[in-house]
mmCIF file of all heavy atoms in Angstrom:
data_model
loop_
_atom_site.group_PDB
_atom_site.id
_atom_site.type_symbol
_atom_site.label_atom_id
_atom_site.label_comp_id
_atom_site.label_asym_id
_atom_site.label_seq_id
_atom_site.Cartn_x
_atom_site.Cartn_y
_atom_site.Cartn_z
ATOM 1 N N GLY A 1 78.332 160.305 -203.000
ATOM 2 C CA GLY A 1 77.423 161.449 -203.441
ATOM 3 C C GLY A 1 76.896 161.405 -204.890
ATOM 4 O O GLY A 1 75.982 162.143 -205.106
ATOM 5 N N GLY A 2 77.462 160.498 -205.541
ATOM 6 C CA GLY A 2 77.054 160.480 -207.057
ATOM 7 C C GLY A 2 75.871 159.583 -207.229
ATOM 8 O O GLY A 2 75.199 159.095 -206.367
ATOM 9 N N SER A 3 75.582 159.432 -208.556
ATOM 10 C CA SER A 3 74.421 158.583 -208.992
ATOM 11 C C SER A 3 74.753 157.641 -209.969
ATOM 12 O O SER A 3 75.809 157.665 -210.720
ATOM 13 C CB SER A 3 73.244 159.452 -209.591
ATOM 14 O OG SER A 3 72.862 160.497 -208.541
ATOM 15 N N LEU A 4 73.915 156.560 -210.008
ATOM 16 C CA LEU A 4 74.152 155.473 -211.068
ATOM 17 C C LEU A 4 72.781 154.849 -211.246
ATOM 18 O O LEU A 4 71.948 154.829 -210.311
ATOM 19 C CB LEU A 4 75.091 154.404 -210.304
ATOM 20 C CG LEU A 4 75.929 153.458 -211.258
ATOM 21 C CD1 LEU A 4 76.774 154.284 -212.106
ATOM 22 C CD2 LEU A 4 76.640 152.490 -210.369
ATOM 23 N N LYS A 5 72.573 154.330 -212.447
ATOM 24 C CA LYS A 5 71.368 153.710 -212.837
ATOM 25 C C LYS A 5 71.537 152.273 -213.290
ATOM 26 O O LYS A 5 72.323 152.064 -214.288
ATOM 27 C CB LYS A 5 70.605 154.540 -213.850
ATOM 28 C CG LYS A 5 69.170 154.070 -214.144
ATOM 29 C CD LYS A 5 68.485 154.999 -215.170
ATOM 30 C CE LYS A 5 67.063 154.506 -215.379
ATOM 31 N NZ LYS A 5 66.271 155.473 -216.261
ATOM 32 N N LEU A 6 70.834 151.409 -212.667
ATOM 33 C CA LEU A 6 70.892 149.919 -213.073
ATOM 34 C C LEU A 6 69.773 149.572 -213.880
ATOM 35 O O LEU A 6 68.665 150.072 -213.714
ATOM 36 C CB LEU A 6 71.041 149.154 -211.830
ATOM 37 C CG LEU A 6 72.204 149.417 -210.761
ATOM 38 C CD1 LEU A 6 72.104 148.376 -209.662
ATOM 39 C CD2 LEU A 6 73.499 149.507 -211.447
ATOM 40 N N SER A 7 70.003 148.734 -214.792
ATOM 41 C CA SER A 7 68.917 148.124 -215.655
ATOM 42 C C SER A 7 68.937 146.622 -215.508
ATOM 43 O O SER A 7 70.076 145.994 -215.403
ATOM 44 C CB SER A 7 69.051 148.562 -217.109
ATOM 45 O OG SER A 7 69.048 149.899 -217.255
ATOM 46 N N CYS A 8 67.838 146.050 -215.741
ATOM 47 C CA CYS A 8 67.661 144.607 -215.785
ATOM 48 C C CYS A 8 66.531 144.212 -216.758
ATOM 49 O O CYS A 8 65.456 144.591 -216.522
ATOM 50 C CB CYS A 8 67.397 143.993 -214.381
ATOM 51 S SG CYS A 8 67.149 142.135 -214.461
ATOM 52 N N GLU A 9 66.899 143.430 -217.726
ATOM 53 C CA GLU A 9 65.957 142.952 -218.666
ATOM 54 C C GLU A 9 65.585 141.546 -218.573
ATOM 55 O O GLU A 9 66.554 140.648 -218.421
ATOM 56 C CB GLU A 9 66.388 143.253 -220.167
ATOM 57 C CG GLU A 9 65.388 142.860 -221.232
ATOM 58 C CD GLU A 9 65.828 143.132 -222.551
ATOM 59 O OE1 GLU A 9 67.041 143.722 -222.789
ATOM 60 O OE2 GLU A 9 65.053 142.942 -223.608
ATOM 61 N N ALA A 10 64.321 141.162 -218.505
ATOM 62 C CA ALA A 10 64.015 139.801 -218.368
ATOM 63 C C ALA A 10 63.544 139.196 -219.747
ATOM 64 O O ALA A 10 63.008 139.929 -220.576
ATOM 65 C CB ALA A 10 62.718 139.693 -217.455
ATOM 66 N N SER A 11 63.910 137.898 -219.995
ATOM 67 C CA SER A 11 63.628 137.343 -221.227
ATOM 68 C C SER A 11 63.334 135.831 -220.942
ATOM 69 O O SER A 11 63.492 135.432 -219.779
ATOM 70 C CB SER A 11 64.751 137.353 -222.229
ATOM 71 O OG SER A 11 65.903 136.749 -221.709
ATOM 72 N N GLY A 12 62.819 135.172 -221.922
ATOM 73 C CA GLY A 12 62.425 133.715 -221.678
ATOM 74 C C GLY A 12 60.925 133.627 -221.468
ATOM 75 O O GLY A 12 60.122 134.354 -221.963
ATOM 76 N N SER A 13 60.660 132.710 -220.512
ATOM 77 C CA SER A 13 59.279 132.604 -220.095
ATOM 78 C C SER A 13 58.860 133.571 -219.120
ATOM 79 O O SER A 13 58.851 133.283 -217.909
ATOM 80 C CB SER A 13 59.033 131.116 -219.603
ATOM 81 O OG SER A 13 57.754 130.921 -219.203
ATOM 82 N N ILE A 14 58.480 134.766 -219.618
ATOM 83 C CA ILE A 14 58.264 135.979 -218.648
ATOM 84 C C ILE A 14 56.844 136.111 -218.207
ATOM 85 O O ILE A 14 56.532 136.971 -217.464
ATOM 86 C CB ILE A 14 58.757 137.200 -219.258
ATOM 87 C CG1 ILE A 14 58.137 137.491 -220.501
ATOM 88 C CG2 ILE A 14 60.331 137.100 -219.547
ATOM 89 C CD1 ILE A 14 58.363 138.775 -221.145
ATOM 90 N N PHE A 15 56.024 135.254 -218.635
ATOM 91 C CA PHE A 15 54.598 135.344 -218.206
ATOM 92 C C PHE A 15 54.387 135.035 -216.746
ATOM 93 O O PHE A 15 55.169 134.263 -216.254
ATOM 94 C CB PHE A 15 53.729 134.467 -219.097
ATOM 95 C CG PHE A 15 53.664 134.759 -220.538
ATOM 96 C CD1 PHE A 15 54.394 133.926 -221.456
ATOM 97 C CD2 PHE A 15 53.023 135.846 -221.012
ATOM 98 C CE1 PHE A 15 54.517 134.244 -222.712
ATOM 99 C CE2 PHE A 15 53.080 136.089 -222.387
ATOM 100 C CZ PHE A 15 53.715 135.332 -223.260
ATOM 101 N N SER A 16 53.586 135.731 -216.161
ATOM 102 C CA SER A 16 53.171 135.546 -214.716
ATOM 103 C C SER A 16 54.375 135.953 -213.825
ATOM 104 O O SER A 16 54.361 135.446 -212.643
ATOM 105 C CB SER A 16 52.874 134.098 -214.437
ATOM 106 O OG SER A 16 51.651 133.795 -215.214
ATOM 107 N N ILE A 17 55.256 136.839 -214.255
ATOM 108 C CA ILE A 17 56.269 137.437 -213.236
ATOM 109 C C ILE A 17 55.366 138.421 -212.393
ATOM 110 O O ILE A 17 54.767 139.306 -213.013
ATOM 111 C CB ILE A 17 57.312 138.117 -214.039
ATOM 112 C CG1 ILE A 17 58.353 137.121 -214.748
ATOM 113 C CG2 ILE A 17 58.180 138.934 -213.033
ATOM 114 C CD1 ILE A 17 59.354 137.669 -215.494
ATOM 115 N N SER A 18 55.551 138.150 -211.170
ATOM 116 C CA SER A 18 54.748 139.027 -210.170
ATOM 117 C C SER A 18 55.485 140.179 -209.621
ATOM 118 O O SER A 18 54.890 141.235 -209.145
ATOM 119 C CB SER A 18 54.136 138.108 -209.025
ATOM 120 O OG SER A 18 55.180 137.460 -208.449
ATOM 121 N N ALA A 19 56.875 140.028 -209.598
ATOM 122 C CA ALA A 19 57.662 141.105 -209.066
ATOM 123 C C ALA A 19 58.986 141.003 -209.629
ATOM 124 O O ALA A 19 59.619 139.856 -210.023
ATOM 125 C CB ALA A 19 57.719 141.018 -207.550
ATOM 126 N N MET A 20 59.672 142.123 -209.811
ATOM 127 C CA MET A 20 61.092 142.277 -210.156
ATOM 128 C C MET A 20 61.820 143.281 -209.320
ATOM 129 O O MET A 20 61.034 144.173 -208.787
ATOM 130 C CB MET A 20 61.235 142.552 -211.641
ATOM 131 C CG MET A 20 60.834 141.518 -212.649
ATOM 132 S SD MET A 20 61.156 142.030 -214.343
ATOM 133 C CE MET A 20 62.993 142.105 -214.293
ATOM 134 N N GLY A 21 63.001 143.012 -209.123
ATOM 135 C CA GLY A 21 63.779 144.036 -208.339
ATOM 136 C C GLY A 21 65.218 143.785 -208.213
ATOM 137 O O GLY A 21 65.810 143.041 -208.946
ATOM 138 N N TRP A 22 65.783 144.261 -207.042
ATOM 139 C CA TRP A 22 67.199 144.200 -206.769
ATOM 140 C C TRP A 22 67.496 143.805 -205.361
ATOM 141 O O TRP A 22 66.823 144.238 -204.474
ATOM 142 C CB TRP A 22 67.835 145.530 -207.115
ATOM 143 C CG TRP A 22 67.686 145.993 -208.560
ATOM 144 C CD1 TRP A 22 66.603 146.753 -208.930
ATOM 145 C CD2 TRP A 22 68.493 145.788 -209.615
ATOM 146 N NE1 TRP A 22 66.717 146.911 -210.292
ATOM 147 C CE2 TRP A 22 67.908 146.388 -210.785
ATOM 148 C CE3 TRP A 22 69.680 145.137 -209.744
ATOM 149 C CZ2 TRP A 22 68.546 146.266 -211.998
ATOM 150 C CZ3 TRP A 22 70.400 145.011 -210.946
ATOM 151 C CH2 TRP A 22 69.822 145.640 -212.055
ATOM 152 N N TYR A 23 68.423 142.930 -205.264
ATOM 153 C CA TYR A 23 69.074 142.654 -204.095
ATOM 154 C C TYR A 23 70.654 142.974 -204.082
ATOM 155 O O TYR A 23 71.186 143.131 -205.236
ATOM 156 C CB TYR A 23 68.904 141.124 -203.643
ATOM 157 C CG TYR A 23 67.558 140.725 -203.091
ATOM 158 C CD1 TYR A 23 66.427 140.697 -204.089
ATOM 159 C CD2 TYR A 23 67.322 140.491 -201.799
ATOM 160 C CE1 TYR A 23 65.170 140.334 -203.652
ATOM 161 C CE2 TYR A 23 66.020 140.156 -201.345
ATOM 162 C CZ TYR A 23 64.963 140.107 -202.275
ATOM 163 O OH TYR A 23 63.759 139.732 -201.814
ATOM 164 N N ARG A 24 71.318 143.073 -202.952
ATOM 165 C CA ARG A 24 72.713 143.259 -202.907
ATOM 166 C C ARG A 24 73.347 142.493 -201.820
ATOM 167 O O ARG A 24 72.737 142.197 -200.849
ATOM 168 C CB ARG A 24 73.018 144.776 -202.819
ATOM 169 C CG ARG A 24 72.732 145.425 -201.528
ATOM 170 C CD ARG A 24 72.949 146.925 -201.545
ATOM 171 N NE ARG A 24 72.635 147.533 -200.208
ATOM 172 C CZ ARG A 24 72.639 148.720 -200.051
ATOM 173 N NH1 ARG A 24 72.889 149.689 -201.036
ATOM 174 N NH2 ARG A 24 72.370 149.354 -198.793
ATOM 175 N N GLN A 25 74.682 142.229 -202.058
ATOM 176 C CA GLN A 25 75.402 141.560 -201.096
ATOM 177 C C GLN A 25 76.798 142.029 -201.049
ATOM 178 O O GLN A 25 77.639 142.110 -202.042
ATOM 179 C CB GLN A 25 75.511 139.969 -201.598
ATOM 180 C CG GLN A 25 76.166 138.987 -200.525
ATOM 181 C CD GLN A 25 75.888 137.664 -200.781
ATOM 182 O OE1 GLN A 25 75.661 137.164 -201.885
ATOM 183 N NE2 GLN A 25 76.060 136.849 -199.816
ATOM 184 N N ALA A 26 77.127 142.501 -199.942
ATOM 185 C CA ALA A 26 78.521 143.085 -199.648
ATOM 186 C C ALA A 26 79.368 142.004 -199.034
ATOM 187 O O ALA A 26 78.812 140.932 -198.534
ATOM 188 C CB ALA A 26 78.470 144.195 -198.587
ATOM 189 N N PRO A 27 80.665 142.024 -199.182
ATOM 190 C CA PRO A 27 81.610 140.972 -198.758
ATOM 191 C C PRO A 27 81.358 140.537 -197.319
ATOM 192 O O PRO A 27 81.274 141.482 -196.438
ATOM 193 C CB PRO A 27 82.971 141.579 -198.911
ATOM 194 C CG PRO A 27 82.797 142.506 -200.068
ATOM 195 C CD PRO A 27 81.424 143.189 -199.855
ATOM 196 N N GLY A 28 81.177 139.267 -197.066
ATOM 197 C CA GLY A 28 80.965 138.900 -195.645
ATOM 198 C C GLY A 28 79.621 139.019 -195.164
ATOM 199 O O GLY A 28 79.356 138.792 -193.947
ATOM 200 N N LYS A 29 78.661 139.694 -195.987
ATOM 201 C CA LYS A 29 77.326 139.807 -195.417
ATOM 202 C C LYS A 29 76.284 139.030 -196.211
ATOM 203 O O LYS A 29 76.568 138.510 -197.272
ATOM 204 C CB LYS A 29 76.967 141.338 -195.511
ATOM 205 C CG LYS A 29 77.893 142.281 -194.635
ATOM 206 C CD LYS A 29 77.478 143.653 -194.613
ATOM 207 C CE LYS A 29 78.372 144.419 -193.625
ATOM 208 N NZ LYS A 29 77.943 145.864 -193.503
ATOM 209 N N GLN A 30 75.120 138.974 -195.699
ATOM 210 C CA GLN A 30 73.990 138.313 -196.425
ATOM 211 C C GLN A 30 73.434 139.181 -197.501
ATOM 212 O O GLN A 30 73.711 140.300 -197.589
ATOM 213 C CB GLN A 30 72.839 137.986 -195.424
ATOM 214 C CG GLN A 30 72.175 139.226 -194.848
ATOM 215 C CD GLN A 30 71.124 138.878 -193.878
ATOM 216 O OE1 GLN A 30 71.037 137.763 -193.308
ATOM 217 N NE2 GLN A 30 70.073 139.737 -193.698
ATOM 218 N N ARG A 31 72.666 138.576 -198.416
ATOM 219 C CA ARG A 31 72.137 139.174 -199.577
ATOM 220 C C ARG A 31 70.839 139.910 -198.988
ATOM 221 O O ARG A 31 69.976 139.269 -198.386
ATOM 222 C CB ARG A 31 71.714 138.226 -200.686
ATOM 223 C CG ARG A 31 71.314 138.899 -202.040
ATOM 224 C CD ARG A 31 71.174 137.800 -202.999
ATOM 225 N NE ARG A 31 72.556 137.102 -203.344
ATOM 226 C CZ ARG A 31 72.563 136.408 -204.432
ATOM 227 N NH1 ARG A 31 71.623 136.140 -205.185
ATOM 228 N NH2 ARG A 31 73.769 135.833 -204.572
ATOM 229 N N ASP A 32 70.632 141.216 -199.165
ATOM 230 C CA ASP A 32 69.618 141.940 -198.645
ATOM 231 C C ASP A 32 68.849 142.602 -199.726
ATOM 232 O O ASP A 32 69.271 142.947 -200.830
ATOM 233 C CB ASP A 32 70.204 143.088 -197.843
ATOM 234 C CG ASP A 32 70.763 142.526 -196.496
ATOM 235 O OD1 ASP A 32 70.224 141.503 -196.027
ATOM 236 O OD2 ASP A 32 71.656 143.221 -195.952
ATOM 237 N N LEU A 33 67.540 142.815 -199.444
ATOM 238 C CA LEU A 33 66.595 143.497 -200.473
ATOM 239 C C LEU A 33 67.050 144.944 -200.560
ATOM 240 O O LEU A 33 67.433 145.697 -199.624
ATOM 241 C CB LEU A 33 65.199 143.432 -199.814
ATOM 242 C CG LEU A 33 64.224 144.308 -200.476
ATOM 243 C CD1 LEU A 33 63.871 143.795 -201.893
ATOM 244 C CD2 LEU A 33 62.954 144.494 -199.698
ATOM 245 N N VAL A 34 67.075 145.368 -201.771
ATOM 246 C CA VAL A 34 67.360 146.798 -202.133
ATOM 247 C C VAL A 34 65.950 147.424 -202.490
ATOM 248 O O VAL A 34 65.502 148.405 -201.845
ATOM 249 C CB VAL A 34 68.299 147.037 -203.303
ATOM 250 C CG1 VAL A 34 68.387 148.454 -203.629
ATOM 251 C CG2 VAL A 34 69.676 146.450 -202.929
ATOM 252 N N ALA A 35 65.228 146.735 -203.548
ATOM 253 C CA ALA A 35 63.937 147.312 -203.972
ATOM 254 C C ALA A 35 63.231 146.302 -204.797
ATOM 255 O O ALA A 35 63.908 145.618 -205.491
ATOM 256 C CB ALA A 35 64.147 148.627 -204.692
ATOM 257 N N LEU A 36 61.910 146.305 -204.655
ATOM 258 C CA LEU A 36 61.111 145.416 -205.589
ATOM 259 C C LEU A 36 59.992 146.186 -206.065
ATOM 260 O O LEU A 36 59.426 147.125 -205.373
ATOM 261 C CB LEU A 36 60.548 144.255 -204.675
ATOM 262 C CG LEU A 36 61.325 143.007 -204.409
ATOM 263 C CD1 LEU A 36 60.570 142.098 -203.545
ATOM 264 C CD2 LEU A 36 61.693 142.407 -205.731
ATOM 265 N N VAL A 37 59.493 145.891 -207.210
ATOM 266 C CA VAL A 37 58.312 146.472 -207.794
ATOM 267 C C VAL A 37 57.390 145.338 -208.270
ATOM 268 O O VAL A 37 57.776 144.478 -208.971
ATOM 269 C CB VAL A 37 58.597 147.518 -208.989
ATOM 270 C CG1 VAL A 37 59.314 146.860 -210.048
ATOM 271 C CG2 VAL A 37 57.335 148.135 -209.420
ATOM 272 N N TRP A 38 56.204 145.390 -207.834
ATOM 273 C CA TRP A 38 55.210 144.368 -208.175
ATOM 274 C C TRP A 38 54.305 144.723 -209.417
ATOM 275 O O TRP A 38 54.368 145.950 -209.700
ATOM 276 C CB TRP A 38 54.280 144.068 -207.015
ATOM 277 C CG TRP A 38 55.060 143.636 -205.751
ATOM 278 C CD1 TRP A 38 55.792 144.394 -204.944
ATOM 279 C CD2 TRP A 38 55.158 142.285 -205.352
ATOM 280 N NE1 TRP A 38 56.288 143.587 -203.893
ATOM 281 C CE2 TRP A 38 55.988 142.352 -204.196
ATOM 282 C CE3 TRP A 38 54.702 141.077 -205.744
ATOM 283 C CZ2 TRP A 38 56.333 141.146 -203.399
ATOM 284 C CZ3 TRP A 38 55.077 139.975 -205.149
ATOM 285 C CH2 TRP A 38 55.807 139.886 -203.907
ATOM 286 N N THR A 39 53.692 143.882 -209.986
ATOM 287 C CA THR A 39 52.915 144.130 -211.239
ATOM 288 C C THR A 39 51.818 145.083 -210.898
ATOM 289 O O THR A 39 51.299 145.785 -211.780
ATOM 290 C CB THR A 39 52.388 142.847 -211.850
ATOM 291 O OG1 THR A 39 51.725 142.068 -210.902
ATOM 292 C CG2 THR A 39 53.542 142.050 -212.449
ATOM 293 N N SER A 40 51.400 145.102 -209.656
ATOM 294 C CA SER A 40 50.318 146.107 -209.198
ATOM 295 C C SER A 40 50.816 147.541 -209.123
ATOM 296 O O SER A 40 50.149 148.401 -209.045
ATOM 297 C CB SER A 40 49.864 145.678 -207.754
ATOM 298 O OG SER A 40 50.888 145.820 -206.909
ATOM 299 N N GLY A 41 52.274 147.673 -209.167
ATOM 300 C CA GLY A 41 52.834 148.985 -209.066
ATOM 301 C C GLY A 41 53.247 149.209 -207.645
ATOM 302 O O GLY A 41 54.111 150.215 -207.284
ATOM 303 N N THR A 42 52.993 148.353 -206.649
ATOM 304 C CA THR A 42 53.455 148.509 -205.308
ATOM 305 C C THR A 42 55.018 148.338 -205.304
ATOM 306 O O THR A 42 55.604 147.539 -205.989
ATOM 307 C CB THR A 42 52.826 147.439 -204.420
ATOM 308 O OG1 THR A 42 51.374 147.730 -204.371
ATOM 309 C CG2 THR A 42 53.415 147.532 -203.011
#
């Protein structure tokens, strides 16, 4: 029921990154999409 905020900072050759976001993987399961944000804002 609580809340948490994750952060991710990109560095290096960051030009032309089209999307950033998060995936997650629980034990014994595949890695799944959590959320993505595109440079368009989508």
Side-chain angles (χ1 to χ4, degrees):
S3 298
L4 205 60
K5 187 173 184 177
L6 308 183
S7 301
C8 175
E9 181 178 2
S11 62
S13 180
I14 60 172
F15 298 103
S16 300
I17 289 179
S18 52
M20 287 184 67
W22 300 89
Y23 284 73
R24 69 185 181 187
Q25 188 168 19
K29 296 189 177 181
Q30 66 181 21
R31 191 172 297 188
D32 289 329
L33 171 70
V34 178
L36 277 177
V37 58
W38 298 81
T39 51
S40 64
T42 299

